[in-house]
Amino acid sequence: VQLQASGGGLVQAGGSLRLSCEASGKNYGMGWFRQAPGKEREFVAATSWSGSTTYYADSVKGRFTISRDNAKNTVYLQMKSLKLEDTALYYCSKAKVYGIDLTQEASYPYWGQGTQVTVSS
């Protein structure tokens, strides 16, 4: 299973970015996590295999939207109203079984390489 994340970049506070993650293999739940310098990696958002159920960290609710297009084997993270504290390396991840807690890092055996998001003032 391979995951390829893209879409990161430099954006001003209040701006928007859309991250994409193309994943090979069967459709399972997928998630986005992020890691800021000097901090632990943290959960951002996740979607069930069908896209019918989504989960968000409190810090991004109402600003970020996760979606997926299974025909394209791609998951997206639309980020709006970006804040300085959203600056981090963003990772996409993929599960390999159903019925697990998609908000937990340990649920994901497969990870992409990360894409940098930098929010400037």
Side-chain angles (χ1 to χ4, degrees), residues 14-18 60 62-65 77-83 86:
S16 300
L17 275 177
R18 189 177 80 157
V60 306
R63 300 189 299 120
F64 291 12
T65 302
L77 186 67
Q78 178 68 52
M79 306 184 293
K80 299 181 179 180
S81 302
L82 283 161
K83 304 176 180 181
D86 293 319

Side-chain angles (χ1 to χ4, degrees), residues 4-55:
Q4 181 68 45
S6 61
L10 175 64
V11 63
Q12 285 193 322
S16 300
L17 275 177
R18 189 177 80 157
L19 305 183
S20 300
C21 179
E22 185 174 356
S24 63
K26 190 177 177 181
N27 289 317
Y28 287 102
M30 292 188 67
W32 287 97
F33 289 74
R34 66 186 181 187
Q35 187 169 22
K39 294 189 176 182
E40 299 282 321
R41 189 156 57 183
E42 65 176 1
F43 169 73
V44 176
T47 173
S48 62
W49 71 272
S50 65
S52 61
T53 305
T54 56
Y55 308 87

Side-chain angles (χ1 to χ4, degrees), residues 21-117:
C21 179
E22 185 174 356
S24 63
K26 190 177 177 181
N27 289 317
Y28 287 102
M30 292 188 67
W32 287 97
F33 289 74
R34 66 186 181 187
Q35 187 169 22
K39 294 189 176 182
E40 299 282 321
R41 189 156 57 183
E42 65 176 1
F43 169 73
V44 176
T47 173
S48 62
W49 71 272
S50 65
S52 61
T53 305
T54 56
Y55 308 87
Y56 296 95
D58 288 343
S59 58
V60 306
K61 276 181 185 175
R63 300 189 299 120
F64 291 12
T65 302
I66 189 170
S67 62
R68 66 189 299 162
D69 183 342
N70 285 343
K72 296 181 179 180
N73 295 321
T74 300
V75 171
Y76 304 98
L77 186 67
Q78 178 68 52
M79 306 184 293
K80 299 181 179 180
S81 302
L82 283 161
K83 304 176 180 181
L84 297 179
E85 52 264 40
D86 293 319
T87 294
L89 189 61
Y90 283 70
Y91 296 91
C92 62
S93 55
K94 183 174 179 179
K96 67 174 182 179
V97 295
Y98 301 114
I100 54 174
D101 185 347
L102 294 175
T103 69
Q104 298 299 307
E105 188 173 336
S107 294
Y108 297 96
Y110 306 116
W111 293 83
Q113 83 285 7
T115 185
Q116 179 68 38
V117 172

